Amino acid sequence: MRRVHSDSSHVLGIDVSARTVERWRSWFAPEVQPFHVDTDLRRVVGAGVPGHLPLELQDSFLLYGEEIRERVVGLDRPAFDALPPGVRASLVRHQVASGRRLVPSLRSVPSAWRPALRQSGDGHRFVWWPDTLRECGDGPLLRFVADDLLASRHVQVSPSTWERARAILPGAQGLAGTYADCSGPNCFGTVMGAAGVDDAAETWMQREPFEEWLHDATRPGGDDARPGTVLVWRDRDGLALHAAVTLGDGWALHKPSQGWMTPRKVLSVPDAKRRARQVGARLSRRLISPAWND
C-alpha cells in the first residue's frame, strides 16, 4: 500500500481544504471507534476504553438514539487487536447485523490493501483505523462523503442569476458549494442562512424556530423559477421534514441532512425535488417577502 494525501480535494464539485479533510478523517476512522455490542459481546469485550460519541460519529456510523448509544463500546486499535481472533470476527459481524455503518467488504478495496485490512475484521469485512486509512489514502473517505449524492452545480449558476437572487437571498452564494465545520447544520438552517438570518446556517435548526421564521418572513405561494420560493416537504401530520430554496432560473439550494458529510449544494429544481421525495411527504411552497428583514 502507499500513502496518498493531497493539499486539497475535489468532492461533489466542491473544493475541500486539506484542513477539512483532516477533520473528516477523525470522524471516518476515529482513534477510539464505537462498536455496537449485544449482551454476549459486552461480556467478552468488556468496558472498552474511554471515549465519547459526538454527533459526528453518530452520523458516521448511524448510531442514533439513547438506547443504541447505551449498547456501544469504544475500542482503540490496541484494544481491538488484543481481542481473540474469534471475538474480533464476531464483533465485526455484529456491526453488519446491527446496521452500524462503515464495515466494508475486503472485495470492495484493491487486492494490495487486503492483507493489512484482513486483520481488522472477520476475513470478509473490516473496519477502518487511522493507520490503515493513512496507508491507503483518502480515497475511501472521499468516496464515503460522495456516496449516493449528486454533485453541486453552483459553478453553473450564472452571475446574473446570483445577482437577482442576492436581493432576497443575500447569503445563498456564500453558502453554495460549502461544507459545515461539523454535524448539526441542516436544511432548515441553510434556507434561513441563505435568506440572511445570522448564524442560522451553522446551527442545528429545529422545526419550531424554522416554522416561526416561515410565519414571519414568508407567505403562501411562490414559483420554482423565481428566487426566494421556499420548498417545504411535510409529513402526514404537517411536520416539516425537509426544505430547500429556489435561486431562480431553475436552480435550488439545499443541504441533504445534518450530517458533516453533506454539503450545502445547488441542484436543478427538478433534481432537488426528486432527491427530497419521501413516502407520505407532500411538497408545499412559500415565498420569502422582500422586506422581511429590513
Side-chain angles (χ1 to χ4, degrees), residues 113-140:
W113 298 2
R114 295 173 191 170
L117 296 171
R118 185 170 283 110
Q119 62 184 333
S120 296
D122 65 354
H124 300 284
R125 291 182 177 271
F126 67 95
V127 296
W128 287 106
W129 294 103
D131 60 334
T132 50
L133 186 63
R134 282 192 297 270
E135 289 298 319
C136 295
D138 291 325

mmCIF file of all heavy atoms in Angstrom, residues 113-140:
data_model
loop_
_atom_site.group_PDB
_atom_site.id
_atom_site.type_symbol
_atom_site.label_atom_id
_atom_site.label_comp_id
_atom_site.label_asym_id
_atom_site.label_seq_id
_atom_site.Cartn_x
_atom_site.Cartn_y
_atom_site.Cartn_z
ATOM 1 N N TRP A 113 -4.419 -3.947 -0.784
ATOM 2 C CA TRP A 113 -4.727 -3.464 0.565
ATOM 3 C C TRP A 113 -5.172 -4.592 1.502
ATOM 4 O O TRP A 113 -5.131 -4.447 2.721
ATOM 5 C CB TRP A 113 -5.843 -2.427 0.518
ATOM 6 C CG TRP A 113 -5.541 -1.185 -0.257
ATOM 7 C CD1 TRP A 113 -4.397 -0.890 -0.956
ATOM 8 C CD2 TRP A 113 -6.418 -0.074 -0.420
ATOM 9 N NE1 TRP A 113 -4.504 0.335 -1.547
ATOM 10 C CE2 TRP A 113 -5.738 0.863 -1.241
ATOM 11 C CE3 TRP A 113 -7.697 0.227 0.020
ATOM 12 C CZ2 TRP A 113 -6.300 2.080 -1.612
ATOM 13 C CZ3 TRP A 113 -8.270 1.439 -0.354
ATOM 14 C CH2 TRP A 113 -7.578 2.356 -1.147
ATOM 15 N N ARG A 114 -5.646 -5.676 0.945
ATOM 16 C CA ARG A 114 -6.382 -6.664 1.733
ATOM 17 C C ARG A 114 -5.577 -7.334 2.833
ATOM 18 O O ARG A 114 -6.120 -7.541 3.931
ATOM 19 C CB ARG A 114 -7.000 -7.704 0.796
ATOM 20 C CG ARG A 114 -8.062 -7.090 -0.114
ATOM 21 C CD ARG A 114 -8.562 -8.060 -1.163
ATOM 22 N NE ARG A 114 -9.371 -7.370 -2.164
ATOM 23 C CZ ARG A 114 -9.786 -7.912 -3.299
ATOM 24 N NH1 ARG A 114 -9.483 -9.183 -3.566
ATOM 25 N NH2 ARG A 114 -10.507 -7.215 -4.149
ATOM 26 N N PRO A 115 -4.303 -7.686 2.622
ATOM 27 C CA PRO A 115 -3.574 -8.331 3.720
ATOM 28 C C PRO A 115 -3.530 -7.482 4.984
ATOM 29 O O PRO A 115 -3.700 -8.007 6.097
ATOM 30 C CB PRO A 115 -2.180 -8.539 3.126
ATOM 31 C CG PRO A 115 -2.410 -8.643 1.655
ATOM 32 C CD PRO A 115 -3.511 -7.674 1.369
ATOM 33 N N ALA A 116 -3.319 -6.180 4.841
ATOM 34 C CA ALA A 116 -3.249 -5.312 6.016
ATOM 35 C C ALA A 116 -4.617 -5.092 6.646
ATOM 36 O O ALA A 116 -4.727 -4.897 7.866
ATOM 37 C CB ALA A 116 -2.624 -3.973 5.635
ATOM 38 N N LEU A 117 -5.665 -5.126 5.833
ATOM 39 C CA LEU A 117 -7.002 -4.854 6.348
ATOM 40 C C LEU A 117 -7.680 -6.100 6.910
ATOM 41 O O LEU A 117 -8.592 -6.001 7.724
ATOM 42 C CB LEU A 117 -7.875 -4.253 5.234
ATOM 43 C CG LEU A 117 -7.427 -2.885 4.708
ATOM 44 C CD1 LEU A 117 -8.240 -2.505 3.475
ATOM 45 C CD2 LEU A 117 -7.586 -1.821 5.787
ATOM 46 N N ARG A 118 -7.245 -7.277 6.477
ATOM 47 C CA ARG A 118 -7.916 -8.508 6.874
ATOM 48 C C ARG A 118 -7.914 -8.698 8.390
ATOM 49 O O ARG A 118 -8.883 -9.194 8.972
ATOM 50 C CB ARG A 118 -7.257 -9.700 6.181
ATOM 51 C CG ARG A 118 -7.980 -11.028 6.434
ATOM 52 C CD ARG A 118 -7.453 -12.137 5.560
ATOM 53 N NE ARG A 118 -7.972 -12.010 4.187
ATOM 54 C CZ ARG A 118 -7.248 -11.675 3.124
ATOM 55 N NH1 ARG A 118 -5.953 -11.419 3.266
ATOM 56 N NH2 ARG A 118 -7.788 -11.601 1.935
ATOM 57 N N GLN A 119 -6.835 -8.282 9.047
ATOM 58 C CA GLN A 119 -6.745 -8.469 10.499
ATOM 59 C C GLN A 119 -7.676 -7.531 11.261
ATOM 60 O O GLN A 119 -7.845 -7.671 12.473
ATOM 61 C CB GLN A 119 -5.308 -8.248 10.965
ATOM 62 C CG GLN A 119 -4.770 -6.852 10.708
ATOM 63 C CD GLN A 119 -3.310 -6.715 11.106
ATOM 64 O OE1 GLN A 119 -2.837 -7.425 11.974
ATOM 65 N NE2 GLN A 119 -2.604 -5.809 10.449
ATOM 66 N N SER A 120 -8.272 -6.565 10.550
ATOM 67 C CA SER A 120 -9.207 -5.644 11.198
ATOM 68 C C SER A 120 -10.649 -6.107 11.035
ATOM 69 O O SER A 120 -11.575 -5.288 11.103
ATOM 70 C CB SER A 120 -9.059 -4.237 10.604
ATOM 71 O OG SER A 120 -7.781 -3.710 10.881
ATOM 72 N N GLY A 121 -10.838 -7.413 10.799
ATOM 73 C CA GLY A 121 -12.195 -7.884 10.612
ATOM 74 C C GLY A 121 -12.330 -9.371 10.784
ATOM 75 O O GLY A 121 -11.600 -10.005 11.549
ATOM 76 N N ASP A 122 -13.264 -9.939 10.015
ATOM 77 C CA ASP A 122 -13.564 -11.364 10.135
ATOM 78 C C ASP A 122 -13.074 -12.155 8.934
ATOM 79 O O ASP A 122 -13.459 -13.314 8.762
ATOM 80 C CB ASP A 122 -15.074 -11.569 10.314
ATOM 81 C CG ASP A 122 -15.890 -11.133 9.101
ATOM 82 O OD1 ASP A 122 -15.292 -10.555 8.160
ATOM 83 O OD2 ASP A 122 -17.110 -11.360 9.084
ATOM 84 N N GLY A 123 -12.238 -11.567 8.108
ATOM 85 C CA GLY A 123 -11.769 -12.215 6.899
ATOM 86 C C GLY A 123 -12.586 -11.861 5.681
ATOM 87 O O GLY A 123 -12.161 -12.107 4.548
ATOM 88 N N HIS A 124 -13.760 -11.275 5.896
ATOM 89 C CA HIS A 124 -14.624 -10.854 4.792
ATOM 90 C C HIS A 124 -14.911 -9.356 4.848
ATOM 91 O O HIS A 124 -14.968 -8.693 3.812
ATOM 92 C CB HIS A 124 -15.943 -11.638 4.819
ATOM 93 C CG HIS A 124 -15.772 -13.113 4.697
ATOM 94 N ND1 HIS A 124 -15.478 -13.737 3.502
ATOM 95 C CD2 HIS A 124 -15.826 -14.091 5.636
ATOM 96 C CE1 HIS A 124 -15.369 -15.038 3.699
ATOM 97 N NE2 HIS A 124 -15.572 -15.285 4.990
ATOM 98 N N ARG A 125 -15.076 -8.851 6.056
ATOM 99 C CA ARG A 125 -15.312 -7.418 6.261
ATOM 100 C C ARG A 125 -14.327 -6.884 7.286
ATOM 101 O O ARG A 125 -13.704 -7.656 8.024
ATOM 102 C CB ARG A 125 -16.759 -7.148 6.711
ATOM 103 C CG ARG A 125 -17.788 -7.408 5.607
ATOM 104 C CD ARG A 125 -19.194 -7.090 6.070
ATOM 105 N NE ARG A 125 -20.170 -7.275 5.016
ATOM 106 C CZ ARG A 125 -20.526 -6.320 4.154
ATOM 107 N NH1 ARG A 125 -19.984 -5.106 4.257
ATOM 108 N NH2 ARG A 125 -21.426 -6.567 3.226
ATOM 109 N N PHE A 126 -14.220 -5.556 7.343
ATOM 110 C CA PHE A 126 -13.241 -4.942 8.240
ATOM 111 C C PHE A 126 -13.727 -3.563 8.646
ATOM 112 O O PHE A 126 -14.743 -3.064 8.129
ATOM 113 C CB PHE A 126 -11.873 -4.841 7.544
ATOM 114 C CG PHE A 126 -11.859 -3.871 6.389
ATOM 115 C CD1 PHE A 126 -11.443 -2.557 6.551
ATOM 116 C CD2 PHE A 126 -12.278 -4.269 5.119
ATOM 117 C CE1 PHE A 126 -11.446 -1.659 5.483
ATOM 118 C CE2 PHE A 126 -12.275 -3.390 4.049
ATOM 119 C CZ PHE A 126 -11.861 -2.075 4.229
ATOM 120 N N VAL A 127 -13.006 -2.938 9.574
ATOM 121 C CA VAL A 127 -13.264 -1.552 9.966
ATOM 122 C C VAL A 127 -12.000 -0.736 9.699
ATOM 123 O O VAL A 127 -10.889 -1.266 9.679
ATOM 124 C CB VAL A 127 -13.667 -1.444 11.455
ATOM 125 C CG1 VAL A 127 -14.984 -2.154 11.706
ATOM 126 C CG2 VAL A 127 -12.573 -1.988 12.364
ATOM 127 N N TRP A 128 -12.203 0.546 9.454
ATOM 128 C CA TRP A 128 -11.073 1.439 9.195
ATOM 129 C C TRP A 128 -10.488 1.960 10.503
ATOM 130 O O TRP A 128 -11.223 2.326 11.427
ATOM 131 C CB TRP A 128 -11.514 2.636 8.358
ATOM 132 C CG TRP A 128 -11.783 2.322 6.921
ATOM 133 C CD1 TRP A 128 -13.008 2.227 6.303
ATOM 134 C CD2 TRP A 128 -10.803 2.064 5.913
ATOM 135 N NE1 TRP A 128 -12.845 1.924 4.980
ATOM 136 C CE2 TRP A 128 -11.507 1.805 4.709
ATOM 137 C CE3 TRP A 128 -9.408 2.009 5.909
ATOM 138 C CZ2 TRP A 128 -10.861 1.517 3.507
ATOM 139 C CZ3 TRP A 128 -8.759 1.710 4.711
ATOM 140 C CH2 TRP A 128 -9.479 1.479 3.536
ATOM 141 N N TRP A 129 -9.161 2.003 10.564
ATOM 142 C CA TRP A 129 -8.442 2.639 11.659
ATOM 143 C C TRP A 129 -7.583 3.771 11.089
ATOM 144 O O TRP A 129 -7.301 3.790 9.874
ATOM 145 C CB TRP A 129 -7.555 1.621 12.379
ATOM 146 C CG TRP A 129 -8.324 0.558 13.081
ATOM 147 C CD1 TRP A 129 -8.520 -0.719 12.665
ATOM 148 C CD2 TRP A 129 -9.039 0.698 14.316
ATOM 149 N NE1 TRP A 129 -9.300 -1.391 13.574
ATOM 150 C CE2 TRP A 129 -9.630 -0.552 14.592
ATOM 151 C CE3 TRP A 129 -9.218 1.754 15.212
ATOM 152 C CZ2 TRP A 129 -10.403 -0.783 15.723
ATOM 153 C CZ3 TRP A 129 -9.980 1.519 16.351
ATOM 154 C CH2 TRP A 129 -10.564 0.275 16.597
ATOM 155 N N PRO A 130 -7.164 4.713 11.920
ATOM 156 C CA PRO A 130 -6.341 5.818 11.395
ATOM 157 C C PRO A 130 -5.107 5.351 10.634
ATOM 158 O O PRO A 130 -4.764 5.923 9.586
ATOM 159 C CB PRO A 130 -5.969 6.605 12.657
ATOM 160 C CG PRO A 130 -7.091 6.350 13.608
ATOM 161 C CD PRO A 130 -7.500 4.924 13.354
ATOM 162 N N ASP A 131 -4.437 4.297 11.123
ATOM 163 C CA ASP A 131 -3.214 3.873 10.447
ATOM 164 C C ASP A 131 -3.490 3.243 9.091
ATOM 165 O O ASP A 131 -2.761 3.484 8.117
ATOM 166 C CB ASP A 131 -2.407 2.923 11.340
ATOM 167 C CG ASP A 131 -3.166 1.664 11.715
ATOM 168 O OD1 ASP A 131 -4.413 1.700 11.727
ATOM 169 O OD2 ASP A 131 -2.514 0.635 11.989
ATOM 170 N N THR A 132 -4.551 2.438 8.981
ATOM 171 C CA THR A 132 -4.842 1.839 7.684
ATOM 172 C C THR A 132 -5.347 2.883 6.699
ATOM 173 O O THR A 132 -5.045 2.809 5.499
ATOM 174 C CB THR A 132 -5.860 0.696 7.831
ATOM 175 O OG1 THR A 132 -6.987 1.138 8.587
ATOM 176 C CG2 THR A 132 -5.225 -0.492 8.521
ATOM 177 N N LEU A 133 -6.078 3.881 7.170
ATOM 178 C CA LEU A 133 -6.516 4.945 6.274
ATOM 179 C C LEU A 133 -5.331 5.764 5.792
ATOM 180 O O LEU A 133 -5.260 6.151 4.620
ATOM 181 C CB LEU A 133 -7.536 5.848 6.972
ATOM 182 C CG LEU A 133 -8.171 6.918 6.068
ATOM 183 C CD1 LEU A 133 -8.961 6.279 4.942
ATOM 184 C CD2 LEU A 133 -9.059 7.847 6.883
ATOM 185 N N ARG A 134 -4.372 6.023 6.693
ATOM 186 C CA ARG A 134 -3.174 6.748 6.271
ATOM 187 C C ARG A 134 -2.437 5.994 5.171
ATOM 188 O O ARG A 134 -1.945 6.588 4.210
ATOM 189 C CB ARG A 134 -2.240 6.976 7.469
ATOM 190 C CG ARG A 134 -2.660 8.109 8.385
ATOM 191 C CD ARG A 134 -1.543 8.466 9.359
ATOM 192 N NE ARG A 134 -1.225 7.356 10.264
ATOM 193 C CZ ARG A 134 -1.813 7.177 11.439
ATOM 194 N NH1 ARG A 134 -2.753 8.007 11.860
ATOM 195 N NH2 ARG A 134 -1.455 6.163 12.218
ATOM 196 N N GLU A 135 -2.359 4.680 5.312
ATOM 197 C CA GLU A 135 -1.656 3.878 4.319
ATOM 198 C C GLU A 135 -2.399 3.830 2.985
ATOM 199 O O GLU A 135 -1.790 3.863 1.924
ATOM 200 C CB GLU A 135 -1.430 2.458 4.855
ATOM 201 C CG GLU A 135 -0.407 2.376 5.972
ATOM 202 C CD GLU A 135 0.970 2.815 5.514
ATOM 203 O OE1 GLU A 135 1.365 2.462 4.384
ATOM 204 O OE2 GLU A 135 1.639 3.535 6.269
ATOM 205 N N CYS A 136 -3.701 3.742 3.054
ATOM 206 C CA CYS A 136 -4.491 3.590 1.830
ATOM 207 C C CYS A 136 -4.795 4.923 1.155
ATOM 208 O O CYS A 136 -5.131 4.955 -0.030
ATOM 209 C CB CYS A 136 -5.803 2.874 2.153
ATOM 210 S SG CYS A 136 -5.588 1.169 2.717
ATOM 211 N N GLY A 137 -4.689 6.013 1.887
ATOM 212 C CA GLY A 137 -5.000 7.315 1.316
ATOM 213 C C GLY A 137 -6.451 7.703 1.545
ATOM 214 O O GLY A 137 -7.244 6.956 2.131
ATOM 215 N N ASP A 138 -6.826 8.862 1.065
ATOM 216 C CA ASP A 138 -8.136 9.427 1.358
ATOM 217 C C ASP A 138 -9.245 8.964 0.430
ATOM 218 O O ASP A 138 -10.407 9.352 0.613
ATOM 219 C CB ASP A 138 -8.071 10.958 1.313
ATOM 220 C CG ASP A 138 -7.266 11.533 2.465
ATOM 221 O OD1 ASP A 138 -7.301 10.969 3.579
ATOM 222 O OD2 ASP A 138 -6.597 12.550 2.241
ATOM 223 N N GLY A 139 -8.908 8.135 -0.555
ATOM 224 C CA GLY A 139 -9.934 7.695 -1.497
ATOM 225 C C GLY A 139 -11.162 7.099 -0.845
ATOM 226 O O GLY A 139 -12.295 7.490 -1.168
ATOM 227 N N PRO A 140 -11.023 6.150 0.096
ATOM 228 C CA PRO A 140 -12.213 5.578 0.740
ATOM 229 C C PRO A 140 -13.041 6.622 1.480
ATOM 230 O O PRO A 140 -14.274 6.574 1.447
ATOM 231 C CB PRO A 140 -11.621 4.547 1.709
ATOM 232 C CG PRO A 140 -10.310 4.166 1.094
ATOM 233 C CD PRO A 140 -9.788 5.436 0.494
#
